[in-house]
Amino acid sequence: MKKNTFLLLPLLVLLISLGLDRLFTLEFFQYYYSNTLSHLNFISKEDLYSDLKEYLKKDPASRKKIIVFFGNSRALLLPNRELEKRHPDWILYNFSVPGGSPDYFLYWIERFKSDGTRPDFVLLDQSLEIYNKTPVLALDEVLIHGLSSEFILRHWTKYSREELSVFISKHLFHTYRDRPKLWRISERMQNSSALAKVYKAAVQEILTALKEERGSTPRELVNQKHTDEQLVQASETDFSSYLKPYTFHTNMFEMQRDSIRILKEYNVPYATIWVKVARPYFNLYMTRKVETSEGLKTPMEVWKPIVEKFNQETGTAFWNMNEDPNCNCEEFADPGHMSPNCFPVFGDYIFKKLEETFPKTHTK
């Protein structure tokens, strides 16, 4: 037996490595090396869900109606408190996150089903980018911050080996996930950790704002508006990063289908939405041919027939902001994101659609 004790050495090294990894990535040390705040959107959703469940325990006759929005960064800035004043029959719970995708939506909808959580309406994002399996610039924030190991185990066939590898490695080793830089740690340690304190204060400010706005990010933190010339240039870059080439992600679409199947089974009204993008970017959707599994096509030629067929087969309402003449706010922070100035208009669009679904005679 003693002769084989050397076989325990790799396990010992792994355990020591994991212990050091967890030590170096404690919340206290994160203030010295973290350079992002986007992960806070994921962290805050647990408190948001607790708040949602508590509110839904109230007598339906005495509470407002609840809409839950599962979206991505294009929906983060919806001004919930402001919209609540203008649309007093409804409360919006914003479960949107950076890079929000159908697997993240399904993760939460399965939890809703398991817990018996029934909002009055669910809105699901249905944009082109979330269904591209081969982007040059892949977004993995949902995979890293938004999904549980149990969810991945149940749906592992929907992910590639590369995606599974990313999930396992970055969940095991948080230093690999966070990539702390020594120069940044050194910088934040200077002047009695002044910069670390600034970052810590920003974290607390954002978490407080996310709680107060029921999942939405403060609009003042975002660039107000790109010029037309900037939008044209940036649209070329974004298109090449996210849509060239374009390989439709069938597995991701199946997870969207699963979410909608669950909602239909539990009689929760729902719709899908295609959030508006800048016109130069939209024009590239329509005209720029790229490599696809079906040869040279535009992303729209691949995506739209699949979505339209799905909508027809399932009776799914599709709120198409990009081709709706009533959506006339044309300010954009970048090609894929409306300016903060447009988000009140965006919110009004959602509630107008809700009023069409639930006429006033059926609301309190």
Side-chain angles (χ1 to χ4, degrees), residues 249-260:
H249 203 322
T250 305
N251 287 339
M252 199 61 67
F253 196 72
E254 283 302 312
M255 285 195 266
Q256 186 85 321
R257 186 187 296 272
D258 287 344
S259 289
I260 288 172

Side-chain angles (χ1 to χ4, degrees), residues 46 54 129 137-138 169 187 298 300 302 305 353:
E46 291 296 335
E54 282 300 312
E129 290 84 354
L137 185 59
S169 59
E187 184 180 73
T298 67
M300 282 284 283
V302 177
K353 287 291 187 180

Side-chain angles (χ1 to χ4, degrees), residues 60-117:
S62 64
R63 67 167 174 81
K64 298 182 179 183
K65 290 184 178 294
I66 298 296
I67 174 174
V68 172
F69 191 169
F70 293 107
N72 51 39
S73 57
R74 292 175 182 170
L76 285 178
L77 305 185
L78 286 165
N80 282 345
R81 296 297 182 184
E82 180 181 336
L83 291 169
E84 189 178 339
K85 293 177 182 177
R86 295 211 296 273
H87 306 278
D89 292 333
W90 289 87
I91 294 179
L92 188 151
Y93 280 77
N94 196 350
F95 276 76
S96 302
V97 292
S101 49
D103 50 350
Y104 186 70
F105 309 160
L106 180 59
Y107 166 74
W108 278 108
I109 288 173
E110 286 184 343
R111 286 185 63 177
F112 281 24
K113 172 186 173 182
S114 176
D115 296 343
T117 302

Side-chain angles (χ1 to χ4, degrees), residues 67 83 87 90 92 347-355:
I67 174 174
L83 291 169
H87 306 278
W90 289 87
L92 188 151
D348 288 340
Y349 175 87
I350 291 173
F351 288 105
K352 181 180 178 182
K353 287 291 187 180
L354 283 173
E355 289 173 6

Side-chain angles (χ1 to χ4, degrees), residues 183-197:
W183 66 264
R184 184 174 291 123
I185 295 171
S186 176
E187 184 180 73
R188 292 191 182 179
M189 290 179 66
Q190 296 175 14
N191 301 320
S192 301
S193 302
L195 291 178
K197 292 174 182 176

Side-chain angles (χ1 to χ4, degrees), residues 54-65 120 364:
E54 282 300 312
Y55 190 81
L56 286 172
K57 290 178 181 177
K58 295 182 177 182
D59 182 353
S62 64
R63 67 167 174 81
K64 298 182 179 183
K65 290 184 178 294
D120 298 289
K364 299 190 307 296

Side-chain angles (χ1 to χ4, degrees), residues 194-227:
L195 291 178
K197 292 174 182 176
V198 169
Y199 179 80
K200 181 178 181 179
V203 167
Q204 297 304 317
E205 180 183 352
I206 294 295
L207 288 174
T208 299
L210 286 168
K211 183 176 180 62
E212 291 177 350
E213 286 289 337
R214 295 194 183 92
S216 291
T217 302
R219 286 183 288 159
E220 59 271 16
L221 298 179
V222 179
N223 176 36
Q224 289 294 312
K225 182 182 177 183
H226 264 20
T227 65

Side-chain angles (χ1 to χ4, degrees), residues 61-182:
S62 64
R63 67 167 174 81
K64 298 182 179 183
K65 290 184 178 294
I66 298 296
I67 174 174
V68 172
F69 191 169
F70 293 107
N72 51 39
S73 57
R74 292 175 182 170
L76 285 178
L77 305 185
L78 286 165
N80 282 345
R81 296 297 182 184
E82 180 181 336
L83 291 169
E84 189 178 339
K85 293 177 182 177
R86 295 211 296 273
H87 306 278
D89 292 333
W90 289 87
I91 294 179
L92 188 151
Y93 280 77
N94 196 350
F95 276 76
S96 302
V97 292
S101 49
D103 50 350
Y104 186 70
F105 309 160
L106 180 59
Y107 166 74
W108 278 108
I109 288 173
E110 286 184 343
R111 286 185 63 177
F112 281 24
K113 172 186 173 182
S114 176
D115 296 343
T117 302
R118 293 173 181 266
D120 298 289
F121 198 88
V122 168
L123 187 58
L124 303 160
D125 185 81
Q126 191 81 303
S127 58
L128 277 78
E129 290 84 354
I130 61 175
Y131 295 118
N132 188 11
K133 193 175 182 179
T134 54
V136 173
L137 185 59
L139 299 177
D140 60 5
E141 287 182 277
V142 163
L143 204 59
I144 296 169
H145 299 294
L147 305 175
S148 68
S149 299
E150 187 267 342
F151 178 87
I152 293 292
L153 280 172
R154 282 190 293 106
H155 297 283
W156 69 271
T157 57
K158 301 287 183 23
Y159 295 95
S160 67
R161 284 181 294 180
E162 291 78 13
E163 288 170 327
L164 292 173
S165 176
V166 166
F167 179 84
I168 293 169
S169 59
K170 292 193 176 183
H171 276 73
L172 272 179
F173 294 100
H174 293 176
T175 46
Y176 175 57
R177 179 195 68 188
D178 298 341
R179 305 287 180 92
K181 302 291 191 298
L182 287 176

